[in-house]
Amino acid sequence: NTSQSMPISGLTYNFLLPLPCEVPTAQPTNFVLTSNSVIINGTFEPASPAPDKYLVVRTLAGDTPNDPMDGVNYNVGANGYLNGYVVMHSGATSFTDNYSSGVRGNHTYDYRVYSVNSDCAGGPYYLALNPATNTVTNCPITMNGITVLGTTTDSILLNWPVGENGEANPMHRQVD
C-alpha cells in the first residue's frame, strides 16, 4: 500500500515484511465424516502445530486427485487441476458438503484434508504428504413424484422419475 502522509518529526516507523512461507509440518487428525442422504458433514482435529488454513478436496471413490500446487489459491468449486471438488479452503475444522456443491445420492466419496500456510510471503504452501483422508457412502435420494398410471382389479401401474442416484449400493424400491 502507498501512504500519502508524511511522518511527524521525531517518530520512528518500522516496516515488517511478512515471514517467508514454509510448508506446514503436520496434517490434521481424527477426520470424521457423517452422511444424511445428500448432506455430508466433516470434522477434524487441527494439526499441531496448526497451519492457518486447510484445503478439503472431494473426489468420487477411485478417482485420484492431484496434489495442490504451492503458490496457488484454490477457490471452492470444481477444479480441473486437482481433479476434484474444493469443498473448503479456510481456517475452519469442520465443513458441510451437499447437493448444491455436487453431492448426489448413493455415491462413495473420498475426502482429503491438506494443511496450508498462507499468511506469509510466497504462499500458500501445502503439506501434500499424507493428507487426512476418509471415505463415505451416502444414502440414495428419496423417491418422490410417484404417479398412478393405471389400475386393474389385481394390479396397479406406478411411475416415478429416475433419481440422481449412483450405484454405490444396490437399490430396492418397495411400495406398501
Side-chain angles (χ1 to χ4, degrees):
N1 291 339
T2 304
S3 174
Q4 299 296 322
S5 62
M6 295 296 294
I8 298 172
S9 181
L11 291 180
T12 302
Y13 283 85
N14 293 318
F15 298 94
L16 298 175
L17 295 174
L19 295 174
C21 253
E22 294 180 4
V23 174
T25 58
Q27 298 285 21
T29 58
N30 298 324
F31 184 22
V32 176
L33 295 171
T34 57
S35 171
N36 181 7
S37 187
V38 292
I39 300 171
I40 298 171
N41 292 300
T43 61
F44 50 90
E45 296 294 320
S48 181
D52 62 285
K53 288 186 179 178
Y54 298 97
L55 175 70
V56 178
V57 178
R58 177 190 76 227
T59 60
L60 279 171
D63 288 353
T64 305
N66 292 317
D67 289 336
M69 188 181 332
D70 291 340
V72 177
N73 281 301
Y74 294 100
N75 295 321
V76 170
N79 187 286
Y81 173 78
L82 292 173
N83 193 33
Y85 187 92
V86 175
V87 176
M88 179 183 86
H89 192 185
S90 76
T93 58
S94 65
F95 61 88
T96 297
D97 198 14
N98 55 43
Y99 189 85
S100 65
S101 61
V103 173
R104 298 300 182 255
N106 202 22
H107 283 84
T108 301
Y109 293 105
D110 292 334
Y111 287 80
R112 288 170 178 74
V113 183
Y114 301 90
S115 290
V116 184
N117 278 338
S118 63
D119 192 17
C120 47
Y125 274 29
Y126 300 89
L127 178 55
L129 184 65
N130 299 319
T133 60
N134 205 340
T135 300
V136 65
T137 300
N138 63 347
C139 299
I141 295 174
T142 304
M143 183 174 62
N144 292 317
I146 299 173
T147 57
V148 177
L149 294 180
T151 60
T152 66
T153 57
D154 61 354
S155 69
I156 184 169
L157 181 59
L158 300 174
N159 185 45
W160 57 85
V162 175
E164 293 180 341
N165 289 305
E167 299 177 3
N169 290 310
M171 291 179 41
H172 303 280
R173 301 292 189 195
Q174 180 175 329
V175 179
D176 292 323

